[in-house]
Amino acid sequence: MSRIGKRPVAIPSGVEAKIDNGILSVKGPKGTLTMGLSDLVSYKLEDGQIAVDPVNDTKPARSHWGMQRTMVSNLVEGVTEGFSKTLQISGVGYRAQAQGKKLKLQLGYSHDVDLDVPEGLKVETPDQTTVIISGIDKQSVGQFAAEIRRWRKPEPYKGKGIKYQGEYIFRKEGKKK
């Protein structure tokens, strides 16, 4: 039994959800998101809630149950509040700058790294060492944050690199003399 899957997803006021031809679409103040529905799980729209239940008692159906419920919850949360990730850049000469639909990173390479911001995302740089990525789709926000972090992962000796805000970097001691 999935503890997460048992709870129905509440639809707040101002959000409209509908199920058509195996596609769930959720429309809210921030935009519209759609998701393809799994055949192993049934979805019911009733009383301002979306209930998710497994079709039968097989292992694949039960394993999809909790995940599908969480994905539906992410759609509802995305169109109401949105998602954001904050990246911290540390290192001498490391900096970031948002220029319209491009993000320019200087990470100690012989060249600057220019990244195109995906459609539907907004990137802000309140200062040179902070990057805030926000949007309505949780998956695309996390994916773009991971792509930025991939350019210079934090290293354990000096802690230089790009890390998520609140991420703990395990520090190692250097060589002993």
Side-chain angles (χ1 to χ4, degrees):
M1 287 300 269
S2 172
R3 291 182 184 184
I4 293 173
K6 286 182 195 175
R7 294 192 318 229
V9 179
I11 301 173
S13 61
V15 175
E16 184 181 306
K18 65 181 176 190
I19 299 172
D20 288 339
N21 300 332
I23 294 177
L24 171 67
S25 62
V26 180
K27 185 177 180 185
K30 290 199 176 248
T32 304
L33 288 174
T34 59
M35 175 181 93
L37 302 179
S38 172
D39 296 334
L40 299 170
V41 180
S42 68
Y43 305 83
K44 293 182 204 111
L45 251 167
E46 52 192 26
D47 303 333
Q49 294 180 334
I50 301 174
V52 180
D53 293 310
V55 173
N56 50 31
D57 201 32
T58 60
K59 180 137 178 76
R62 287 193 323 263
S63 62
H64 274 94
W65 183 17
M67 183 64 184
Q68 290 297 314
R69 189 259 178 215
T70 303
M71 289 173 69
V72 169
S73 174
N74 287 343
L75 292 183
V76 173
E77 188 179 337
V79 297
T80 53
E81 301 161 22
F83 295 100
S84 71
K85 286 237 183 219
T86 304
L87 298 170
Q88 300 289 325
I89 301 173
S90 58
V92 177
Y94 291 6
R95 59 182 63 97
Q97 184 179 15
Q99 301 170 333
K101 279 298 205 180
K102 286 205 176 282
L103 179 66
K104 184 177 188 172
L105 300 171
Q106 295 174 340
L107 300 172
Y109 294 121
S110 61
H111 55 85
D112 292 348
V113 177
D114 291 328
L115 297 172
D116 292 324
V117 177
E119 196 65 37
L121 295 184
K122 190 173 122 194
V123 174
E124 303 169 27
T125 50
D127 56 62
Q128 292 184 338
T129 60
T130 306
V131 179
I132 299 172
I133 304 155
S134 57
I136 62 172
D137 186 12
K138 186 173 188 176
Q139 196 275 332
S140 61
V141 168
Q143 180 67 38
F144 189 60
E147 287 173 11
I148 294 171
R149 184 178 183 270
R150 190 188 77 216
W151 280 97
R152 188 69 88 174
K153 288 184 180 171
E155 53 96 16
Y157 296 102
K158 290 184 180 177
K160 293 170 31 173
I162 303 173
K163 66 177 187 143
Y164 297 113
Q165 186 175 28
E167 178 183 11
Y168 175 74
I169 305 301
F170 181 76
R171 301 297 294 272
K172 293 182 181 177
E173 194 174 331
K175 283 194 221 175
K176 300 247 190 330
K177 289 192 177 188

